[in-house]
Amino acid sequence: MVTSASPVVPFLDLREANAAHADELKAAAARVIDSGWYVMGEELSCFEREFAAWCGVRHAVGVGNGLDALSLILRAYIDMGELAEGDEVIVPANTFIATFLAVSGNRLVPVPVEPDDASFNLDPSRVEDAIGPRTRAIMAVHLYGRLADMAALATIARRHGLLLIEDAAQAHGAASLGRKAGAFGDAAGFSFYPGKNLGALGDGGAVVTDDDRLAAAVRALRNYGSVEKYRHDRQGVNSRLDEWQAAVLRVKLRHLDAENLARQRIAAVYRQSIVHPAIRVPGEGSPGSHAWHLFVVRSARRDALRKHLASRGVQTLVHYPIPPHRQEAYVQLRHLSLPLTERIHDEVVSLPMGPRLRADQVAQVVDACLSFPLA
């Protein structure tokens, strides 16, 4: 019987997660320190090759963070003449605000589209209706780690001559039919924020693509627009994945498949065991198509559920309480009616999830959910 005196199950314990690789991380740190080279060196080059191979693409370009990854993809397409100021990019209404910021930050126009109610992801059946004369791209988000319906979105993109970009910030390792997130669209942006499945010990991100020209443009743009020191062919930025974070990510990449498998096992227990009329658990999708970065349930009584779980020692978070079109940053979108997105944001609760959760902790989360009063 779980009681309020039960030990706390943390939402995510990064200390414990990193302690599992402490010796390797310390060796990586020593290697970087001893090298005397801390930006744009061998660790970055090696990580880029290794991550590209792991994703199944030709190129990975390390950048400062996940938002920069998405922004630089769009900026590169502008430099290449494939996008222009004022062009529209279809985005999921149900997403973290970074998806919108990457678009508007490049003076492009985000066009929010409602999600599929079961997957939380962009609904292909609604995308076609949102395409207009200025639409030039679709940015699909693999929200919470679950692949969007990339086959359907790719068909739509081809039919209308649109770019297809993946926001894969939460989906490291999600796969379908032998292809991983990042290998479905024209380009993809990843985040290596510490809490991600593949997390650095600080900020970091990467652009992955099979497009040689795009990769070259992003490589230049991230480095002040330069491919040769003190020669600047583009108006770039400073957004470089440093040697320390690259070395950390090389260590963690070696363990990522095993850790994703642990997440899948925990998610399977949650899905099979949390059977409650007031709690809706997520669908699995096809095998391996969900990386389970987050395990997000829905409840019309979210606040009461969170309070109940906290009383039983279970930490939760909300991803995300306010949709982008209701944020002050996008007051120009306040007129939009997106009822499904708004309802999702009012109902979602993220349960503890991570590869180091013990069986007793998982059982405590399940028991706490099952004991939630019906009214």
Side-chain angles (χ1 to χ4, degrees):
M1 176 72 177
V2 177
T3 69
S4 59
S6 300
V8 172
V9 181
F11 178 77
L12 177 64
D13 188 338
L14 287 177
R15 288 174 297 183
E16 185 175 2
N18 291 316
H21 312 305
D23 291 342
E24 291 176 273
L25 292 171
K26 290 172 183 177
R31 190 171 65 240
V32 172
I33 292 168
D34 292 345
S35 75
W37 196 296
Y38 308 119
V39 178
M40 301 284 284
E42 186 64 20
E43 295 292 343
L44 176 60
S45 296
C46 288
F47 172 70
E48 289 176 335
R49 290 193 298 269
E50 292 160 7
F51 190 60
W54 188 82
C55 289
V57 297
R58 285 205 298 271
H59 304 283
V61 184
V63 298
N65 53 69
L67 174 56
D68 282 1
L70 297 175
S71 296
L72 288 170
I73 290 169
L74 296 172
R75 185 161 177 176
Y77 278 129
I78 291 170
D79 274 17
M80 293 161 60
E82 298 193 35
L83 292 174
E85 182 177 340
D87 284 346
E88 294 179 351
V89 179
I90 290 175
V91 296
N94 180 48
T95 186
F96 180 55
I97 198 169
T99 313
F100 280 56
L101 292 172
V103 175
S104 60
N106 279 286
R107 297 186 178 181
L108 304 168
V109 180
V111 178
V113 171
E114 289 269 62
D116 170 71
D117 188 51
S119 71
F120 298 111
N121 284 329
L122 192 59
D123 185 347
S125 68
R126 301 173 190 258
V127 167
E128 202 116 28
D129 292 338
I131 295 173
R134 293 299 304 269
T135 306
R136 297 292 182 270
I138 301 169
M139 185 175 285
V141 180
H142 307 311
L143 195 65
Y144 309 143
R146 181 172 179 168
L147 284 178
D149 188 346
M150 295 306 294
L153 293 173
T155 297
I156 294 170
R158 285 194 300 269
R159 183 159 58 240
H160 294 274
L162 306 177
L163 295 167
L164 180 57
I165 300 162
E166 298 173 67
D167 179 342
Q170 302 181 359
H172 316 73
S176 177
L177 301 176
R179 298 171 71 187
K180 287 192 177 82
F184 291 92
D186 296 293
F190 282 90
S191 166
F192 304 129
Y193 184 76
K196 295 296 196 289
N197 291 35
L198 180 60
L201 297 184
D203 249 326
V207 172
V208 303
T209 184
D210 278 326
D211 187 331
D212 299 344
R213 188 169 166 235
L214 177 70
V218 173
R219 288 187 191 281
L221 286 168
R222 71 168 176 186
N223 188 36
Y224 300 98
S226 172
V227 293
E228 179 184 336
K229 194 169 185 178
Y230 299 134
R231 183 183 182 116
H232 305 271
D233 301 319
R234 306 170 188 263
Q235 295 182 18
V237 298
N238 177 10
S239 181
R240 303 172 298 194
L241 184 67
D242 66 54
E243 288 291 280
W244 163 234
Q245 301 303 343
V248 166
L249 291 166
R250 293 183 69 196
V251 169
K252 292 193 168 187
L253 184 60
R254 294 195 288 268
H255 300 279
L256 184 54
D257 288 331
E259 293 190 346
N260 278 349
L261 183 58
R263 289 174 180 270
Q264 290 170 17
R265 290 170 178 157
I266 293 165
V269 174
Y270 280 164
R271 293 187 64 254
Q272 293 164 11
S273 304
I274 301 174
V275 180
H276 191 292
I279 303 173
R280 177 176 167 184
V281 298
E284 180 182 22
S286 60
S289 64
H290 203 318
W292 298 109
H293 169 58
L294 299 172
F295 191 93
V296 179
V297 302
R298 289 173 63 180
S299 176
R301 298 163 53 214
R302 178 176 70 194
D303 292 346
L305 175 59
R306 293 194 71 202
K307 183 177 180 179
H308 171 80
L309 294 177
S311 74
R312 273 131 180 98
V314 175
Q315 290 185 349
T316 62
L317 291 178
V318 174
H319 297 88
Y320 302 94
I322 306 173
H325 75 283
R326 291 294 189 219
Q327 299 279 0
E328 288 298 323
Y330 288 98
V331 66
Q332 72 273 24
L333 300 178
R334 284 287 179 89
H335 67 283
L336 294 177
S337 176
L338 298 166
L340 178 54
T341 292
E342 291 160 18
R343 185 164 68 251
I344 288 172
H345 283 250
D346 285 341
E347 294 179 350
V348 290
V349 182
S350 299
L351 301 183
M353 170 56 75
R356 304 295 159 190
L357 273 182
R358 302 186 310 271
D360 64 295
Q361 293 176 314
V362 174
Q364 183 175 334
V365 174
V366 170
D367 289 346
C369 287
L370 295 180
S371 66
F372 182 46
L374 291 176

